[in-house]
Amino acid sequence: MQALSLQALDPIAETQADPNSYGFRKERCCADAMVQCHTVLSNRTTPQWILEGDIKSCFDRSSHPWLLSHIPMEKTILKKWLQAGYMDKSVLYPTEDGTPQGGIISPVLANMALDGLERILRKKYPNSGARATKGKNKQVNLVRYADGTPVQA
């Protein structure tokens, strides 16, 4: 059922995706993200600083109310998936936030939750990216890549 819903949701997610989002997307990979990093870091107006971040427990902490109000799919089905919980040693643990662990639809839900960040940055820093000129405003570039690999604290 998740695979069928993903086939319907994925084209919508792709049309709304941030241009420089590379993780968990068809026809995009880590190498594409690296090329974009090289592109934004190899010009004359390269920013002085690089911020690398990791969203700890991104899949575990996604807001159910936000997902239910913003993901364009059948709400009853989505709600059931989000609240299905998980089993460990024959014990059912309910889920109050986060997306289904190992669910085929979880990566697209996470991407849709993060999409819009690049647009917000472009609005706040309008002279960023390709239009940036030295000495004019602060330059900000966003290159987002996710691979699902747990990070050790």
Side-chain angles (χ1 to χ4, degrees), residues 82-145:
L82 294 174
Q83 296 177 343
Y86 65 96
M87 297 277 299
D88 184 27
K89 298 180 183 170
S90 300
V91 177
L92 175 63
Y93 294 91
T95 50
E96 296 174 11
D97 53 6
T99 58
Q101 295 299 305
I104 192 171
I105 204 164
S106 293
V108 76
L109 295 177
N111 269 337
M112 291 182 86
L114 295 171
D115 284 332
L117 179 59
E118 188 169 354
R119 184 176 53 254
I120 291 167
L121 287 172
R122 293 280 177 249
K123 187 174 180 180
K124 184 166 177 69
Y125 302 101
N127 290 325
S128 289
R131 300 183 314 261
T133 56
K134 193 167 186 167
K136 278 256 197 191
N137 288 339
K138 295 176 182 169
Q139 184 178 356
V140 176
N141 295 289
L142 174 71
V143 180
R144 192 176 87 216
Y145 180 76

Side-chain angles (χ1 to χ4, degrees), residues 1-12 26 72-74 77 81 103-105 108:
M1 186 92 169
Q2 282 191 18
L4 289 173
S5 294
L6 178 60
Q7 284 184 339
L9 188 58
D10 201 41
I12 297 167
K26 291 180 181 176
M73 66 172 285
E74 212 292 311
I77 292 172
W81 285 338
I104 192 171
I105 204 164
V108 76

Side-chain angles (χ1 to χ4, degrees), residues 35-100:
V35 167
Q36 181 61 16
C37 286
H38 180 269
T39 299
V40 299
L41 294 172
S42 64
N43 64 46
R44 290 185 175 190
T45 60
T46 299
Q48 188 176 9
W49 301 97
I50 297 173
L51 171 65
E52 186 274 336
D54 178 38
I55 301 173
K56 184 177 181 182
S57 302
C58 181
F59 290 108
D60 297 337
R61 299 182 191 261
S62 298
S63 164
H64 287 186
W66 189 95
L67 291 168
L68 288 165
S69 65
H70 290 89
I71 302 299
M73 66 172 285
E74 212 292 311
K75 304 303 179 194
T76 305
I77 292 172
L78 179 58
K79 186 174 184 176
K80 286 180 180 182
W81 285 338
L82 294 174
Q83 296 177 343
Y86 65 96
M87 297 277 299
D88 184 27
K89 298 180 183 170
S90 300
V91 177
L92 175 63
Y93 294 91
T95 50
E96 296 174 11
D97 53 6
T99 58

